[in-house]
Amino acid sequence: MEYLPSGLLLDILVRAGAWKEEGREASSGEIASGEWEVLPTPTYSALSVCRRFREALMDSPDHLVDLMARVHGGSREAALVAACTMGHEGATLHLLELAADPPRANCLDGKALVAASQHGRESIVRLLLDCPRDAPRPDCRNCDALTLCEHTSIRRLLQERLLTMLSPQERERLMQQQQDQIVRLVQRKRLVAQQHAGRMAMQQQLAAYQAQRYLQAQQQQAQAQAQLQQQQAAQATTQALQLQQLLLMMPFEEQQLVMELPQEQRPQAILTLVQRRQNHAQQEQEQERQEAVQLRQAVQFQKLQLQQLFALLSAPEQRLVLRLQAEQRPQAIMQLMQRKRQMQAVAAQQEQQEQMQAVAVQQEQQQEQQQQQEQQQAQMQAVAAQQQQAQQQEQQQKQQEEQEQGDRSAGGQG
């Protein structure tokens, strides 16, 4: 087992999860039986684990084979396929030379040979084909070893071994098939070359077309830039003329103010003054509009007021107003209303005087009533005073009588 590579140990231990806790020693029996802890995050790197258990695995190859079988599907045939796939030649030879229940080289219908040829394991392919017993056929699994292989040396090896196994008729038929394949391959290469030449021609045409389009786009861009420059020049000329016209339309004082400025500041100054004048004109227009609105509102209010005043007039007065002309009616209505208001004022004054007289009469009556009440109260007070004096006199008489009686009684006792 000295030829067993460290890569195989690494692969087996990583796949099986052989991670030991720190401070423990593992034996080959523990490794083969799987009595180890599988940690989500290993405490050792895979290489350190390989170095720790390498000696135990070397001393007990049976345990190693059991471990490979357990890792790769639970059978020694699966372990053989895995070893051929990964290219572990030592492990493959050890599996084929096992004394007890070794896997056959053509097990699983030659799956190990197909896997080795597909992954480019030429040494293992030779090992399997040269196996003294149960060697796989080169055409196993419907010639998958040939069809799936992309390595020329392995394909040549399989074809040579296959030719040695065929009869002369089968060789001739195979050679004819190969010649037919060669002819088809040549034809296909010619077709591919023609297609490639056609694609190259199309690419050249496309490149020429793209170059032509690029030149056209450059020309169009140059024309557009020239037109844009012409338009900008025309706009600059038009703007200069407009500024000159605006300057001529300004008052003389503003023209002098503009001319005193530097040349580069004049356009902005002209535009500022023009904008100021426009704003002032807009403000005046807005003010005139508001005044017109207020005037219309005043006229409408006056018409409504005249209609209300006309409705307050009497029927003869309304007929008198209607006989007049339209421009005389407002003044006539105002005069009639003024006279009516004067008459109402006079009537109101008279009514107020009458009310004042009535109030004076009521006040006199109230004063008389108050005087009468005062007289009555004075009389009642006088009567009450007389009654009180009479009561006092009666009390005094009673007291005198009682005193006389008391004196009499006192004299009789003496």
Side-chain angles (χ1 to χ4, degrees):
M1 292 299 293
E2 293 180 355
Y3 53 82
L4 189 64
S6 300
L8 177 58
L9 293 175
L10 175 61
D11 181 72
I12 291 172
L13 293 173
V14 170
R15 289 173 182 264
W19 306 105
K20 289 295 295 178
E21 292 183 357
E22 187 174 1
R24 286 187 56 189
E25 295 295 336
S27 64
S28 59
E30 287 179 336
I31 295 173
S33 61
E35 295 178 356
W36 51 64
E37 183 178 358
V38 180
L39 301 178
T41 304
T43 57
Y44 290 102
S45 66
L47 187 57
S48 64
V49 172
C50 290
R51 291 174 179 173
R52 178 177 291 271
F53 304 120
R54 181 182 181 86
E55 294 181 359
L57 291 173
M58 293 298 184
D59 294 338
S60 184
D62 292 334
H63 291 316
L64 172 61
V65 172
D66 294 337
L67 179 59
M68 283 190 62
R70 189 172 67 84
V71 172
H72 296 292
S75 65
R76 298 191 176 190
E77 287 78 7
L80 177 62
V81 174
C84 293
T85 302
M86 292 183 291
H88 298 310
E89 185 177 354
T92 304
L93 184 59
H94 176 72
L95 289 169
L96 292 174
E97 292 178 352
L98 286 175
D101 193 15
R104 292 182 291 107
N106 61 350
C107 63
L108 303 175
D109 195 13
K111 188 175 181 181
L113 178 63
V114 175
S117 63
Q118 184 178 1
H119 291 85
R121 316 300 186 186
E122 184 175 356
S123 60
I124 295 178
V125 171
R126 290 182 181 275
L127 180 62
L128 293 173
L129 292 175
D130 294 337
C131 188
R133 59 185 180 185
D134 300 325
R137 289 178 58 87
D139 57 349
C140 62
R141 287 182 171 266
N142 296 323
C143 293
D144 285 348
L146 278 169
T147 57
L148 299 177
C149 181
E150 297 181 354
H151 301 273
T152 307
S153 59
I154 298 176
R155 287 176 62 89
R156 186 181 300 111
L157 175 61
L158 292 172
Q159 289 175 0
E160 290 176 356
R161 294 299 179 92
L162 183 60
L163 287 174
T164 58
M165 298 173 59
L166 297 177
S167 62
Q169 293 81 9
E170 290 176 342
R171 291 180 186 178
E172 185 177 358
R173 186 169 61 251
L174 181 60
M175 293 299 293
Q176 184 65 33
Q177 290 178 358
Q178 289 180 354
Q179 290 178 2
D180 295 339
Q181 289 180 358
I182 291 171
V183 171
R184 287 195 297 270
L185 182 60
V186 172
Q187 291 177 355
R188 185 178 178 182
K189 286 186 177 180
R190 288 179 181 175
L191 181 61
V192 170
Q194 292 176 359
Q195 292 177 353
H196 180 69
R199 285 196 297 269
M200 291 298 294
M202 290 180 63
Q203 289 178 0
Q204 291 177 359
Q205 292 178 0
L206 180 61
Y209 177 72
Q210 290 177 352
Q212 186 177 2
R213 289 291 302 274
Y214 177 75
L215 292 175
Q216 290 178 358
Q218 292 291 333
Q219 292 176 359
Q220 291 177 359
Q221 186 177 2
Q223 292 177 0
Q225 289 180 356
Q227 290 178 0
L228 180 62
Q229 291 177 359
Q230 291 178 0
Q231 291 177 359
Q232 291 177 354
Q235 289 178 359
T237 305
T238 306
Q239 186 177 3
L241 292 174
Q242 291 177 354
L243 291 174
Q244 188 175 2
Q245 291 177 359
L246 293 173
L247 182 61
L248 294 175
M249 293 171 62
M250 288 180 180
F252 182 72
E253 294 80 5
E254 293 181 356
Q255 290 182 5
Q256 287 183 345
L257 181 62
V258 170
M259 295 303 295
E260 291 176 356
L261 296 174
Q263 185 68 29
E264 61 275 5
Q265 296 180 3
R266 291 178 185 177
Q268 185 65 30
I270 294 171
L271 294 175
T272 303
L273 293 173
V274 170
Q275 185 67 30
R276 189 184 300 172
R277 292 181 62 186
Q278 289 179 355
N279 294 336
H280 184 65
Q282 289 178 358
Q283 291 177 0
E284 290 181 351
Q285 291 177 0
E286 183 66 20
Q287 187 176 0
E288 291 178 357
R289 188 182 65 80
Q290 291 178 0
E291 291 176 355
V293 170
Q294 292 176 0
L295 182 61
R296 286 197 298 271
Q297 291 177 355
V299 171
Q300 291 178 358
F301 178 75
Q302 187 177 6
K303 287 182 179 179
L304 180 62
Q305 189 176 10
L306 289 174
Q307 289 177 1
Q308 292 175 355
L309 294 175
F310 182 76
L312 295 174
L313 297 176
S314 61
E317 292 175 346
Q318 289 180 357
R319 288 195 294 271
L320 179 62
V321 171
L322 292 174
R323 290 175 184 174
L324 299 175
Q325 296 181 359
E327 61 273 7
Q328 296 177 355
R329 292 175 185 176
Q331 187 176 1
I333 292 172
M334 296 299 295
Q335 291 177 357
L336 291 172
M337 287 302 300
Q338 187 175 3
R339 187 172 63 184
K340 192 172 184 179
R341 287 172 183 169
Q342 290 176 358
M343 294 174 65
Q344 289 177 355
V346 172
Q349 289 178 359
Q350 292 178 359
E351 185 177 358
Q352 187 177 3
Q353 289 177 0
E354 291 176 356
Q355 289 178 357
M356 291 175 65
Q357 291 176 1
V359 169
V361 171
Q362 289 179 0
Q363 289 178 355
E364 290 177 356
Q365 290 177 358
Q366 288 178 358
Q367 289 177 0
E368 290 177 356
Q369 290 178 0
Q370 188 175 3
Q371 291 176 0
Q372 290 176 3
Q373 290 177 358
E374 290 177 355
Q375 291 177 0
Q376 290 176 0
Q377 289 178 356
Q379 292 177 0
M380 290 174 67
Q381 289 176 356
V383 171
Q386 291 177 1
Q387 291 178 356
Q388 188 175 5
Q389 289 177 0
Q391 289 178 358
Q392 291 177 356
Q393 291 176 0
E394 289 179 356
Q395 290 178 356
Q396 290 176 0
Q397 289 177 2
K398 286 180 178 181
Q399 290 177 357
Q400 290 176 2
E401 290 176 357
E402 291 177 352
Q403 189 175 5
E404 290 176 356
Q405 289 179 359
D407 293 338
R408 290 174 184 176
S409 62
Q413 291 178 359

